Amino acid sequence: MEFGNGNGTGTDNCNCNGNGIRNGNGIGNGNGNGNEKVKGANVIKMKPMDSELLREQGHIMVDFIADYYRDLQDSPQDFPVLSQVQPGYLRDMLPNSAPDQPESLNELLDDVTKKIMPGITHWQSPSYFAYYASSTSVAGFLGEMLNAGLSVVGFTWQTSPAATELEIIVLDWLAKLLQLPDHFLSTGHGGGVIQGTGCEAVLVVVLAARDRILKQVGKTVLPQLVVYASDQTHSSFRKACLIGGIHEDNIRLLRTDSSTNYGLLPESLEEAISHDLAKGFIPFFICATVGTTSSAAVDPLVPLGKIAKKYGIWMHVDAAYAGNACICPEYRKFIDGVENADSFNMNAHKWLFANQTCSPLWVKDRYALIAALKTNPEYLEYKVSEKDAVVNYKDWQISLSRRFRSLKLWMVLRLYGSENLRNFIREHVNLAKQFEDYVTQDPHFEVVTTRYFSLVCFRLVPVDGDEDKCNQRNRELLAAINSTGKIFISHTALSGQFILRFAVGAPLTEEKHGRLYKNMPLNLPATAIVKNILKETVEN
């Protein structure tokens, strides 16, 4: 059933002279959705998935998205990187209720352009340098498209064997690229699973570790369980612990400082564990981070792993951002010691171009994870020849339903190849180094932390040692930069200092964009903008 925009020749349910309903094989031009009703016409049952309508309108949507990516590069003035709208801007632009009758795709896309786009912060802009990137790619996009088209719900092996088996295979591939220990592979007692986010990953392993220790010491000691991490650990760790029933006072966030580049000091961890044991607490979980959110700090996995092993504590490695870089041999050293970890997580949607959301998690003992999360309602039961013959991923995650996420990761790895992925990551790191070099050349600024990957932490230096005034000047600088719409950077706080963050990782960020700016010594896309703004701020 299609909405025609011309003289229809198919099997018509009305006189299709203009915008009528066609219930045949005619093809419109995007001005309808297959379910339209002309005034006075009989209502016709909608057909939500019509192959020819999908073909027609799918082409229109792909063109719309492709034009968006083209225009992000060719007409950046039309796309402020940080949205400049005010809260509630959209309410007055849209009706108070949903339409009773269908509207056309062209009308909808016109609203996207005029009403939605102004409220979009353009994470895919070449001049997006805030937080960490949400990377996209053609391969990732195509994988998402195929996933949406197949629309399987692979919570058990039976509900789509290929969805389960491809995930197992692809995560073994990625584990080998990262040179993870064999016990994380599916061929042993461990294995991988794609969670939606790193937040979900840390939650499920906290639950697995909690249940493992409670089986050893009894369920009544839950109030005595203690967890450890640095004060730079992602906030999702605290949330995971609270959901898991760990008392907030038992979450030990150990202080870090510039002496270790904000990495967790092993001596402070062991001291905290010893102190807790002496008071009757039960240490059961350590969260180590490779590439913290604030400054991309790296916790030393080798000594932390030894401590975890000594006390029988589950160690999780959160490498959501920097783990992607570890497919490059020169960055693999940052996860040395992962052999003593019980679990390891990275976000392929951050820097491996797998599109949101795709967060691989590997565990050393899959049975510990399954024991904490398994449910067995009768309506999900089915017979297999052997107990461990299949994997049911519903028992590796919080939710029952799950998407076919491995498709896009499989397509990224196949359509680009590991060497191209490594080189793209290296290019981003080199671009960050260029920006770092610019900052170090200007006496008004300082780089605050050692750069390991593609994040540069910097600030205006204090005048006469006045840190409060320095923090205020950096706040004003951040606001001035982001208000231009030409670039978006974010901030953090380290040791009481207000720090600016410049994180390279958007897929369109390339050296060639520097050609847009003349007479500038560096080629990084936004460097010229930043330089001009910084110069004006300093002079004023």
Side-chain angles (χ1 to χ4, degrees):
M1 175 171 34
E2 291 191 356
F3 172 69
N5 193 42
N7 295 321
T9 58
T11 303
D12 297 329
N13 289 326
C14 64
N15 292 324
C16 287
N17 185 11
N19 296 335
I21 297 178
R22 177 181 303 156
N23 189 18
N25 295 322
I27 298 178
N29 70 350
N31 288 328
N33 58 16
N35 307 300
E36 298 227 13
K37 175 187 175 184
V38 177
K39 291 182 180 179
N42 294 328
V43 175
I44 298 176
K45 184 178 179 180
M46 65 181 285
K47 187 177 182 181
M49 182 53 76
D50 179 274
S51 60
E52 290 307 313
L53 187 65
L54 174 64
R55 190 186 314 279
E56 174 201 345
Q57 296 194 346
H59 279 295
I60 292 171
M61 185 62 75
V62 168
D63 284 344
F64 183 87
I65 296 169
D67 288 347
Y68 167 70
Y69 277 90
R70 177 200 63 200
D71 294 343
L72 275 179
Q73 301 172 83
D74 296 347
S75 305
Q77 70 279 1
D78 296 331
F79 299 91
V81 186
L82 176 62
S83 174
Q84 304 295 306
V85 302
Q86 297 300 313
Y89 90 99
L90 193 57
R91 175 68 65 182
D92 293 336
M93 301 180 75
L94 296 179
N96 289 327
S97 58
D100 289 328
Q101 300 302 328
E103 298 175 355
S104 72
L105 178 60
N106 280 349
E107 288 176 308
L108 189 148
L109 292 180
D110 187 57
D111 275 354
V112 170
T113 299
K114 295 176 179 177
K115 301 173 183 179
I116 301 301
M117 282 297 179
I120 294 293
T121 289
H122 298 285
W123 286 66
Q124 307 310 317
S125 167
S127 295
Y128 181 95
F129 300 101
Y131 310 112
Y132 286 128
S134 173
S135 66
T136 58
S137 65
V138 173
F141 176 84
L142 295 176
E144 279 288 295
M145 183 186 293
L146 185 56
N147 181 12
L150 297 176
S151 197
V152 303
V153 187
F155 45 77
T156 63
W157 176 87
Q158 185 183 48
T159 58
S160 271
T164 297
E165 297 194 12
L166 183 63
E167 188 161 334
I168 293 170
I169 293 166
V170 169
L171 290 189
D172 278 353
W173 283 8
L174 188 52
K176 291 173 183 176
L177 287 177
L178 291 163
Q179 300 177 57
L180 295 182
D182 288 345
H183 58 240
F184 284 133
L185 300 177
S186 64
T187 50
H189 291 291
V193 55
I194 301 178
Q195 304 287 338
T197 65
C199 304
E200 296 169 45
V202 71
L203 172 58
V204 298
V205 294
V206 164
L207 297 177
R210 179 203 64 185
D211 282 12
R212 186 179 74 171
I213 192 68
L214 290 179
K215 286 179 181 178
Q216 297 172 12
V217 298
K219 295 181 179 180
T220 60
V221 301
L222 180 61
Q224 297 166 250
L225 299 187
V226 183
V227 300
Y228 306 87
S230 87
D231 59 1
Q232 300 299 306
T233 301
H234 194 276
S235 59
S236 61
F237 174 62
R238 173 182 171 274
K239 184 181 291 187
C241 293
L242 295 177
I243 293 172
I246 308 305
H247 195 283
E248 186 156 20
D249 290 342
N250 292 1
I251 302 173
R252 310 283 190 250
L253 300 180
L254 306 177
R255 184 176 176 274
T256 60
D257 58 37
S258 58
S259 66
T260 60
N261 205 38
Y262 296 95
L264 178 58
L265 191 66
E267 291 80 1
S268 67
L269 173 63
E270 185 141 32
E271 181 181 349
I273 292 172
S274 298
H275 182 266
D276 283 331
L277 286 171
K279 290 200 167 187
F281 289 104
I282 303 173
F284 83 98
F285 194 91
I286 298 168
C287 183
T289 306
V290 177
T292 59
T293 303
S294 280
S295 64
V298 175
D299 292 336
L301 301 188
V302 172
L304 296 182
K306 291 179 179 178
I307 293 171
K309 189 173 183 180
K310 175 181 176 181
Y311 293 98
I313 300 173
W314 184 301
M315 186 172 83
H316 173 64
V317 177
D318 174 3
Y321 158 65
N324 296 277
C326 295
I327 68 170
C328 302
E330 63 268 35
Y331 301 118
R332 173 57 178 75
K333 62 185 178 183
F334 291 107
I335 59 171
D336 284 352
V338 71
E339 59 272 11
N340 284 325
D342 294 273
S343 51
F344 177 90
N345 165 244
M346 58 170 279
N347 287 350
H349 57 249
K350 270 192 170 68
W351 208 7
L352 207 62
F353 316 103
N355 292 46
Q356 288 275 358
T357 55
C358 185
S359 185
L361 166 71
W362 292 269
V363 291
K364 182 177 181 179
D365 178 8
R366 63 175 173 264
Y367 301 105
L369 190 63
I370 292 170
L373 301 173
K374 187 174 183 179
T375 55
N376 294 294
E378 179 61 32
Y379 53 81
L380 295 181
E381 287 293 329
Y382 65 98
K383 293 182 179 181
V384 292
S385 57
E386 297 179 19
K387 178 183 177 182
D388 294 327
V390 299
V391 168
N392 293 317
Y393 274 129
K394 70 178 180 64
D395 300 326
W396 296 50
Q397 62 179 31
I398 298 298
S399 64
L400 174 63
S401 297
R402 64 194 328 269
R403 303 177 72 238
F404 197 170
R405 292 189 179 100
S406 59
L407 271 176
K408 59 187 171 185
L409 188 54
W410 184 51
M411 293 178 72
V412 165
L413 293 174
R414 289 191 62 185
L415 295 180
Y416 298 133
S418 57
E419 196 55 37
N420 277 325
L421 293 170
R422 292 187 186 104
N423 288 336
F424 210 93
I425 289 170
R426 289 171 179 138
E427 182 179 353
H428 281 169
V429 174
N430 288 335
L431 292 174
K433 184 179 185 303
Q434 289 182 27
F435 182 77
E436 180 184 46
D437 290 342
Y438 161 67
V439 173
T440 58
Q441 292 166 16
D442 192 320
H444 297 98
F445 295 90
E446 65 177 350
V447 173
V448 179
T449 60
T450 300
R451 181 192 53 76
Y452 296 136
F453 307 104
S454 66
L455 171 66
V456 180
C457 293
F458 71 107
R459 67 168 185 160
L460 284 162
V461 297
V463 177
D464 298 327
D466 190 333
E467 286 290 344
D468 290 338
K469 186 175 180 180
C470 179
N471 285 342
Q472 184 57 33
R473 291 177 71 223
N474 279 286
R475 288 190 184 94
E476 292 169 357
L477 174 59
L478 179 71
I481 291 171
N482 290 338
S483 66
T484 67
K486 297 178 180 179
I487 180 175
F488 181 30
I489 63 175
S490 56
H491 77 281
T492 190
L494 295 171
S495 300
Q497 299 174 351
F498 188 91
I499 306 299
L500 307 180
R501 298 173 71 264
F502 188 94
V504 181
L508 295 179
T509 302
E510 296 178 326
E511 200 167 359
K512 67 180 182 180
H513 292 109
R515 298 169 191 161
L516 296 172
Y517 310 104
K518 298 180 180 179
N519 303 318
M520 292 298 170
L522 299 180
N523 290 324
L524 190 61
T527 298
I529 300 171
V530 175
K531 182 171 182 178
N532 286 339
I533 296 172
L534 299 186
K535 185 180 180 206
E536 291 171 5
T537 303
V538 171
E539 290 175 348
N540 293 333

